[in-house]
């Protein structure tokens, strides 16, 4: 082949080798490019398959882990029901490995750590995940749980209680410890547990070993779970480095009721005995709200006489503050209570069982203050040399160290002497919150978690369980006593008022405390915290409070009905009789079941309608067991209310039958002397 060119230049023959080389160049380039493409494909495939392996590695059952947190699905292809973000660090996923049911990682972006998630399937309908993040330094560990898209319950008694939990504002993590929420209304309450439950059938329980702090951000709908030892009352166990660990269990079930039943049976203490039948059947009469610390012999006997005169049951009389000369004494003030032995004999002859108020404080002016110093019975300042002085609502003194066997024995010995000498039936154990411990202190047995002090105090009530009363609880569900919610103000609202009763009782029921005393009917009539004359709660408020209390496990009067009028007396007589004949038998039946199951006596509506979104948010109705539903009037000036009937067949207290349910009854009429209740018709 020849190539023709223009011009006068003669054509020259072409070199065949040169021609072949030029023709090969495109082929070589194409080959190299092809090889590069193949190599790229191999690399991409390798990367893709490695990514698949990594993705598979970071999955465990229905949980997906990433560097910044994890999510849990309710079922394959279902919806996300739990989300936790890692706020204090991100995982280095290259350090993660999987061994059977355990997924572990050894590095975060901040350094070495011990992290693992272990999957446990305890039953067919429940999947649990044990999560642990342990630092090898003193830096805090913080995870953030989203509560979007679900309703949450549990945690702690609070001053403004809602059901489900209603969170507002921004709160940096603070120690999750028992506190007196009457005096500090932004604190966590005297009854608390590290346990939360959601309407999406998820539950989380923080481990006991965690130096646990709780915070929140309402805008982001997030709870902050933090572990730290720095600038906190938590202390590492003796010999342990102050390296924080955040560990918890998340369990997912088929519905909110079944997952709660599982958690209670698996992780909660349960009472071992049922208190006296009489404290469930008959009212407790307290001297506190009516007399405060001005009580004396004459007033007590007159109060008892009026109980009998007005035809109320006289089974239990509670002598509150103040019957001793000084706080910390264990003997009657001879001026206020002359011849106490004779007084107690008369009260017993009249049919009263009398209990006495007690507390953990020994004021400096009590003769027992010197005894406590000499025997080393008190909580001490950090060096352990001197007693740590505390201020409480009745002065300044020391606080007994219930981690010390000698202090426990001394305290119990004094209580038993009172019981033996005067025939005292039992005791009302007041206070016990860790907020009454000094900021810095030491105890006979070190307390890594200060709330263990609350637990030790509740144990003092065990010998007197049949009629004893406590207002605090931490891992104390096995203490077979009445647990009283904190003092109520004589007001209608959600801040320690009438509307707070049902949310508070439901909350502590979910936390495992079932023998509940809902405080005094009408509240405590504290100055500037009373709707009414100031001397008495508002009459309508008192009546509505009385009606609600009649459907609680136990009733407690202090402000007596006869301080109002004949109609109020008659309403009180009718509702105490209704409590005795209708409510108490059911409560006692359920109380026996509590010993085995731990299930609540007072239950939310979702207990029998776990998948009913409306039942998840009802905060002014409740169930006693599964068969009796109560809907009190909680608004002033109202003689009607809306009532939600879950699915089932219901019969009202008026005899009406409701078969087409679920159903909302709007403006259901309820007179001032009535409370709406419905029984389940099988």
């Amino acid at each position: 082949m020849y190539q023709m060119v223009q011009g006068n230049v003669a054509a020259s023959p072409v070199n065949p080798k040169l021609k072949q080389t030029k023709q090969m160049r495109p082929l070589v380039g194409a080959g190299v490019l092809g090889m590069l493409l193949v190599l790229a494909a191999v690399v991409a495939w390798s990367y893709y398959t490695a990514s698949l392996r990594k993705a598979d590695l970071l999955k465990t059952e229905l949980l997906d882990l990433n560097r910044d947190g994890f999510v849990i699905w309710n079922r394959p292809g279902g919806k996300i029901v739990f989300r936790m973000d890692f706020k204090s660090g991100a995982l280095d996923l290259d350090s993660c490995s999987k061994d059977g049911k355990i997924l572990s990682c050894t590095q975060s972006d901040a350094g070495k750590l011990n992290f693992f998630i272990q999957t446990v399937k305890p039953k067919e309908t429940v999947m649990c995940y044990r999560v642990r993040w342990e630092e090898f330094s003193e830096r805090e560990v913080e995870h953030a749980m989203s509560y979007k898209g679900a309703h949450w319950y549990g945690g702690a008694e609070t001053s403004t209680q809602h059901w489900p939990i209603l969170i507002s504002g921004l709160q940096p993590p603070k120690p999750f410890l028992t506190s007196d929420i009457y005096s500090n209304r932004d604190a966590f309450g005297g009854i608390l547990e590290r346990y939360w439950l959601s309407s999406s059938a998820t539950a989380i329980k923080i481990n006991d070993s965690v130096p646990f702090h709780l915070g929140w951000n309402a805008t982001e709908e997030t709870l902050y779970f933090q572990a730290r030892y720095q600038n906190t009352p938590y202390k590492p166990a003796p010999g342990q480095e102050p390296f924080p660990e955040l560990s918890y269990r998340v369990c997912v079930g088929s519905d909110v009721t079944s997952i709660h039943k599982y958690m209670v049976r698996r992780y909660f203490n349960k009472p071992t005995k049922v208190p006296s039948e009489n404290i469930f059947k008959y009212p407790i009469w307290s001297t506190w709200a009516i007399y405060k610390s001005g009580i004396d012999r004459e007033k007590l006997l007159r109060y008892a006489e009026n109980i009998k005169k007005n035809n109320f049951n006289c089974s239990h009389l509670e002598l509150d503050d103040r019957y001793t000369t000084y706080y910390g004494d264990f003997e009657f003030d001879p001026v206020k209570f002359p011849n106490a032995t004779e007084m107690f004999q008369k009260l017993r002859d009249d049919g009263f069982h009398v209990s006495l108020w007690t507390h953990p404080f020994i004021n400096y002016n009590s003769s027992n203050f010197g005894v406590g110093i000499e025997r080393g019975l008190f909580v001490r300042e950090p060096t352990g040399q001197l007693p740590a002085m505390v201020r409480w609502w009745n002065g300044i003194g020391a606080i007994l160290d219930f981690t010390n066997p000698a202090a426990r024995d001394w305290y119990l010995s004094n209580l038993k002497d009172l019981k033996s000498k005067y025939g005292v039936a039992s005791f009302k154990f007041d206070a016990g919150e860790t907020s009454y411990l000094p900021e810095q202190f030491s105890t006979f047995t070190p307390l890594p978690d200060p709330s263990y002090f609350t637990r030790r105090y509740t144990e003092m009530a065990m010998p007197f369980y049949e009629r004893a009363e406590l207002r605090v609880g931490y891992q104390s569900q096995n203490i077979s006593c009445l647990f009283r919610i904190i003092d109520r103000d004589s007001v209608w609202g959600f801040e320690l008022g009438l509307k707070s009763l049902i949310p508070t009782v439901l909350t502590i029921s979910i936390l495992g405390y079932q023998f509940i005393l809902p405080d005094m009917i009408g509240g405590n009539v504290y100055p500037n915290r009373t709707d009414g004359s100031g001397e008495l709660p508002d009459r309508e408020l008192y009546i509505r409070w009385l009606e609600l209390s009649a459907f609680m496990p136990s009733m407690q009067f202090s402000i007596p009905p006869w301080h109002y009028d004949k109609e109020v007396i008659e309403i009180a007589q009718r509702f105490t009789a209704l409590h005795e004949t209708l409510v108490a038998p059911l409560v006692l039946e359920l109380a026996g079941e509590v010993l085995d199951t731990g299930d609540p006596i007072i239950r939310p509506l979702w207990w029998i309608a776990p998948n009913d979104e409306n039942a998840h948010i009802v905060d002014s109705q409740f169930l006693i067991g599964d068969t009796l539903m109560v809907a009190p009037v909680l608004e002033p000036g109202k003689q009607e209310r809306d009532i939600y009937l879950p699915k089932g067949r219901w019969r009202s207290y008026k005899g009406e039958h409701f078969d087409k349910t679920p159903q909302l009854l709007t403006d259901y009429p309820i007179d001032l002397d009535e409370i709406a209740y419905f029984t389940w018709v099988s």
Side-chain angles (χ1 to χ4, degrees):
M1 181 177 182
Y2 296 88
Q3 181 180 7
M4 300 298 294
V5 296
Q6 292 181 343
N8 297 321
V9 180
S12 302
V14 179
N15 188 326
K17 291 184 178 180
L18 178 60
K19 180 179 177 182
Q20 186 179 14
T21 301
K22 289 180 178 180
Q23 290 175 337
M24 289 294 292
R25 286 175 181 170
L27 296 175
V28 172
V32 171
L33 179 60
M35 292 178 63
L36 290 174
L37 290 173
V38 170
L39 181 61
V42 171
V43 170
W45 177 255
S46 299
Y47 181 79
Y48 173 70
T49 54
S51 298
L52 289 178
R53 287 194 298 271
K54 177 63 72 174
D56 184 62
L57 165 69
L58 299 179
K59 286 180 180 289
T60 174
E61 297 294 344
L62 298 174
L63 183 147
D64 293 348
L65 176 68
N66 60 61
R67 67 189 303 273
D68 298 315
F70 63 88
V71 297
I72 300 175
W73 302 78
N74 63 340
R75 62 180 182 275
K79 66 176 183 177
I80 293 174
V81 293
F82 188 86
R83 182 184 300 274
M84 186 75 84
D85 294 328
F86 305 145
K87 303 298 289 186
S88 54
L91 292 175
D92 177 358
L93 298 183
D94 290 333
S95 73
C96 299
S97 61
K98 193 173 182 181
D99 182 8
K101 298 293 185 180
I102 300 178
L103 196 164
S104 59
C105 307
T106 58
Q107 289 282 141
S108 73
D109 57 0
K112 293 180 63 177
L113 84 161
N114 175 22
F115 173 85
F116 73 80
I117 297 177
Q118 180 181 15
T119 305
V120 180
K121 190 170 186 178
K123 55 190 299 187
E124 187 62 31
T125 58
V126 176
M127 185 73 73
C128 293
Y129 305 90
R130 295 179 57 217
V131 182
R132 179 186 179 98
W133 182 305
E134 181 182 13
E135 290 284 347
F136 292 108
S137 68
E138 296 184 13
R139 65 190 297 270
E140 72 215 22
V141 182
E142 185 174 315
H143 294 178
M145 185 191 81
S146 171
Y147 60 84
K148 291 180 183 178
H151 305 292
W152 285 83
Y153 317 92
E157 179 185 16
T158 57
S159 62
T160 303
Q161 198 94 46
H162 292 278
W163 180 273
I165 296 170
L166 178 62
I167 293 174
S168 61
L170 174 66
Q171 172 63 56
K174 60 181 180 180
F176 192 68
L177 302 173
T178 58
S179 299
D180 179 352
I181 52 172
Y182 195 86
S183 60
N184 182 3
R185 302 204 172 192
D186 294 326
F188 304 115
I191 298 176
L192 57 72
E193 298 293 335
R194 301 171 169 197
Y195 171 72
W196 289 266
L197 172 74
S198 90
S199 58
S200 294
T202 58
I204 181 169
K205 190 174 189 305
I206 311 298
N207 286 354
D208 300 342
S209 56
V210 176
F212 181 52
H213 299 66
L214 179 67
W216 55 82
N217 185 326
T219 302
E220 297 179 356
E221 297 184 66
T222 299
L223 290 178
Y224 300 128
F225 299 150
Q226 187 187 84
R228 78 169 192 266
Y229 287 113
Q230 293 181 327
N231 304 314
T232 175
Y234 293 103
K235 305 297 178 188
Q240 176 183 312
E241 295 284 352
F243 300 160
E245 157 223 329
L246 182 58
S247 57
Y248 47 88
R249 290 170 169 82
V250 181
C251 293
V252 182
S254 57
D255 61 64
V256 60
T257 305
S258 63
I259 192 62
H260 178 67
K261 286 183 176 182
Y262 168 76
M263 297 297 286
V264 168
R265 285 156 176 73
R266 177 66 180 84
Y267 297 116
F268 282 15
N269 294 321
K270 297 169 190 64
T272 57
K273 304 173 183 177
V274 176
S276 167
E277 285 190 12
N278 285 350
I279 64 170
F280 294 112
K281 293 172 65 176
Y282 308 123
I284 298 168
W285 298 87
S286 170
T287 63
W288 173 245
I290 181 174
Y291 296 117
K292 303 297 191 294
S293 60
I295 188 66
D296 58 26
R297 173 194 169 102
E298 180 183 350
K299 292 174 182 175
L300 178 63
L301 292 176
R302 186 168 64 247
Y303 189 49
E305 182 60 32
N306 281 328
I307 293 170
K308 293 179 59 182
K309 179 181 176 181
N310 287 281
N311 298 314
F312 288 98
N313 186 281
C314 51
S315 69
H316 191 139
L317 185 60
E318 192 172 80
L319 176 54
D320 210 296
D321 180 16
R322 165 183 187 183
Y323 57 88
T324 60
T325 304
Y326 302 106
Y327 293 107
D329 293 353
F330 291 92
E331 188 51 82
F332 281 87
D333 182 338
V335 176
K336 295 179 72 177
F337 291 91
N339 201 347
T341 302
E342 179 189 344
M343 179 189 73
F344 271 89
Q345 185 61 55
K346 174 172 175 47
L347 290 171
R348 282 196 302 275
D349 291 344
D350 288 341
F352 286 98
H353 296 269
V354 183
S355 59
L356 297 179
W357 177 71
T358 186
H359 54 82
F361 307 104
I362 310 292
N363 278 12
Y364 67 90
N365 54 356
S366 168
S367 60
N368 285 325
F369 185 77
V371 174
I373 291 178
E374 180 181 344
R375 299 187 184 182
L377 305 180
F378 299 138
V379 173
R380 296 172 176 266
E381 44 78 44
T383 67
Q385 300 301 309
L386 298 171
M389 303 299 286
V390 299
R391 182 181 295 276
W392 62 298
W393 67 89
N394 277 326
I396 297 174
I399 187 167
L400 289 166
D401 180 1
F402 294 105
T403 74
N404 184 346
R408 294 162 67 92
D409 290 346
W410 180 82
Y411 182 65
L412 285 177
S413 175
N414 279 286
L415 296 184
K416 289 176 179 178
D417 285 349
L418 283 170
K419 190 174 184 347
S420 173
K421 184 174 181 179
Y422 298 107
V424 172
S426 193
F427 297 90
K428 170 185 175 178
F429 291 82
D430 215 350
E433 297 91 346
T434 62
S435 55
Y436 287 108
L437 293 171
E439 188 172 338
Q440 299 292 328
F441 67 91
S442 62
T443 50
F444 181 86
T445 302
L447 291 174
D449 178 354
S451 285
Y452 283 132
F453 180 85
T454 294
R455 163 68 199 187
R456 295 291 170 259
Y457 180 58
T458 62
E459 291 169 357
M460 297 297 96
M462 293 175 73
F464 316 102
Y465 78 95
E466 288 189 319
R467 293 177 179 269
E469 171 190 325
L470 289 156
R471 81 173 198 189
V472 293
Y474 178 66
Q475 300 181 11
S476 307
Q477 298 95 334
N478 63 320
I479 309 296
S480 303
C481 303
L482 287 181
F483 284 85
R484 175 177 66 88
I485 63 177
I486 195 66
D487 299 23
R488 301 289 114 173
D489 289 327
S490 301
V491 297
W492 288 91
F494 282 104
E495 184 178 339
L496 296 179
L498 177 61
K499 287 184 182 178
S500 72
L501 256 66
I502 295 174
T504 304
V505 169
L506 288 175
T507 296
I508 65 175
S509 293
I510 288 299
L511 298 180
Y513 298 89
Q514 312 307 347
F515 305 144
I516 298 171
L517 180 63
D519 201 42
M520 300 168 196
I521 292 168
N524 287 265
V525 204
Y526 291 129
N528 303 317
R529 298 187 183 276
T530 298
D531 290 341
S533 66
E535 296 180 0
L536 287 176
D538 173 76
R539 181 179 184 272
E540 182 187 8
L541 173 67
Y542 183 87
I543 292 171
R544 293 304 192 191
W545 206 307
L546 163 63
E547 292 163 353
L548 172 55
S549 293
F551 284 82
M552 290 291 170
S554 55
M555 298 180 70
Q556 186 176 48
F557 285 101
S558 185
I559 301 297
W562 55 87
H563 275 202
Y564 290 93
D565 52 51
K566 182 181 179 182
E567 183 185 15
V568 175
I569 295 173
E570 291 174 349
I571 293 171
Q573 289 170 338
R574 182 151 50 85
F575 275 93
T576 54
L578 186 65
H579 177 85
E580 179 183 345
T581 57
L582 174 66
V583 178
L586 181 55
V587 167
L588 285 165
E589 178 185 341
L590 295 166
E593 295 175 7
V594 167
L595 309 186
D596 296 323
T597 67
D599 289 346
I601 293 173
I602 304 298
R603 300 172 180 177
L605 260 60
W606 54 249
W607 192 265
I608 59 171
N611 298 311
D612 184 341
E613 174 66 20
N614 292 315
H616 293 162
I617 60 175
V618 174
D619 65 350
S620 61
Q621 299 173 222
F622 61 93
L623 297 162
I624 306 176
D626 292 345
T627 59
L628 182 60
M629 185 178 66
V630 187
V633 173
L634 305 176
E635 297 279 354
K638 296 288 187 180
Q639 294 197 25
E640 68 283 323
R641 62 158 292 168
D642 293 348
I643 298 175
Y644 185 70
L645 300 178
K647 186 176 181 180
R649 300 175 62 207
W650 297 95
R651 183 179 65 246
S652 79
Y653 68 106
K654 299 177 182 180
E656 306 152 306
H657 285 262
F658 299 93
D659 298 331
K660 296 180 180 180
T661 56
Q663 180 181 354
L664 179 65
L665 308 179
T666 57
D667 293 331
Y668 186 83
I670 308 168
D671 290 341
L672 179 60
D673 63 346
E674 295 180 330
I675 186 172
Y677 61 92
F678 301 76
T679 54
W680 178 280
V681 180
S682 58

